[in-house]
């Protein structure tokens, strides 16, 4: 990755890349042993960040806002874009689809939430979470969706979904506190 960036940005260092990662401007995938794996999309994102700093003197906050706006504008991404942006292989994505962890929408397109979900799944598996555990999380989410769908008012369902997620997080934290 450094070799790809250095011709255009001779002063770039590993420390600089780690700093940009800590600032949330790039999110490379991780191997099971924790090594960073930069996809082509990650390198392009870094190239954008570094040139925005060097050529336009933009602060990181503004650069982050521009990157977030570009992601939000796209709304949906193709399978290829999803693979490129997350550094996931086609085989891995197919397995996640078979496990019901990612579900493409109309036309086989994915949302920005799918990108976030895939990055989350990759981080979890990098920490040793197995496919069976991920399928259990999917099953729990499906049960929650069924429960939420039993409420007739769609406005209420959206509000309840946020409340369910908040309560779930709080209950997990409380359970972990009690078990330690």
């Amino acid at each position: 990755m450094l070799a790809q960036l250095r011709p255009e940005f001779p002063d770039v260092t590993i420390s600089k890349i780690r700093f940009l990662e800590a600032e949330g401007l790039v999110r490379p995938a991780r191997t099971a042993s924790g090594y960073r794996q930069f996809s082509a999309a990650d390198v392009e994102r870094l190239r954008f960040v570094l040139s925005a700093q060097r050529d336009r003197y933009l602060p990181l906050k503004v650069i982050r806002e521009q990157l977030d706006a570009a992601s939000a504008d796209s709304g949906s991404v193709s399978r290829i874009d999803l693979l490129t942006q997350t550094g996931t292989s086609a085989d891995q994505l197919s397995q996640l689809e078979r496990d019901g962890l990612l579900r493409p929408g109309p036309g086989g397109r994915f949302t920005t939430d799918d990108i976030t979900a895939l990055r989350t799944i990759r981080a979890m598996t990098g920490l040793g979470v197995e496919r069976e555990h991920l399928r259990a999380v999917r099953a729990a989410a499906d049960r929650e969706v069924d429960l939420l769908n039993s409420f007739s008012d769609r406005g209420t369902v959206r509000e309840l979904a946020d409340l369910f997620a908040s309560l779930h997080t709080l209950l997990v934290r409380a359970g972990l506190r009690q078990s330690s």
Side-chain angles (χ1 to χ4, degrees):
M1 176 265 314
L2 280 177
Q4 293 176 47
L5 293 172
R6 280 221 168 109
E8 190 175 350
F9 307 98
D11 296 334
V12 71
T13 63
I14 291 173
S15 297
K16 172 77 171 182
I17 302 304
R18 287 184 181 154
F19 172 75
L20 295 173
E21 180 184 6
E23 292 295 312
L25 292 162
V26 66
R27 297 173 203 93
R30 298 278 185 150
T31 66
S33 56
Y35 290 101
R36 291 166 181 82
Q37 287 185 318
F38 289 90
S39 68
D42 291 326
V43 174
E44 284 309 308
R45 190 173 172 101
L46 282 168
R47 194 170 272 123
F48 173 82
V49 171
L50 293 169
S51 64
Q53 283 185 304
R54 180 192 66 198
D55 302 340
R56 296 183 292 164
Y57 308 101
L58 294 177
L60 294 180
K61 180 181 178 187
V62 172
I63 296 169
R64 184 180 306 104
E65 289 169 357
Q66 289 181 354
L67 289 168
D68 291 346
S71 295
D73 287 345
S74 63
S76 70
V77 297
S78 69
R79 180 180 202 81
I80 303 258
D81 289 340
L82 179 73
L83 296 174
T84 302
Q85 289 184 36
T86 61
T88 303
S89 73
D91 289 340
Q92 290 169 323
L93 178 57
S94 294
Q95 184 61 58
L96 292 170
E97 289 175 302
R98 283 192 297 276
D99 289 345
L101 290 160
L102 286 173
R103 297 173 177 160
R109 309 259 322 154
F110 293 89
T111 67
T112 53
D113 282 346
D114 293 320
I115 294 170
T116 303
L118 187 48
R119 286 182 174 145
T120 301
I121 289 167
R122 288 180 57 92
M124 292 172 73
T125 57
L127 293 170
V129 174
E130 302 287 334
R131 282 183 47 218
E132 302 81 46
H133 302 128
L134 294 171
R135 285 195 303 260
V137 171
R138 171 81 263 167
D142 288 342
R143 285 191 304 274
E144 196 167 313
V145 167
D146 289 343
L147 175 61
L148 287 166
N149 281 332
S150 70
F151 296 92
S152 59
D153 181 4
R154 299 315 292 172
T156 302
V157 170
R158 292 187 194 286
E159 184 179 350
L160 280 172
D162 291 339
L163 293 169
F164 269 70
S166 178
L167 179 59
H168 176 87
T169 299
L170 294 168
L171 292 172
V172 168
R173 287 181 185 161
L176 289 173
R177 274 193 316 271
Q178 290 174 353
S179 68
S180 30

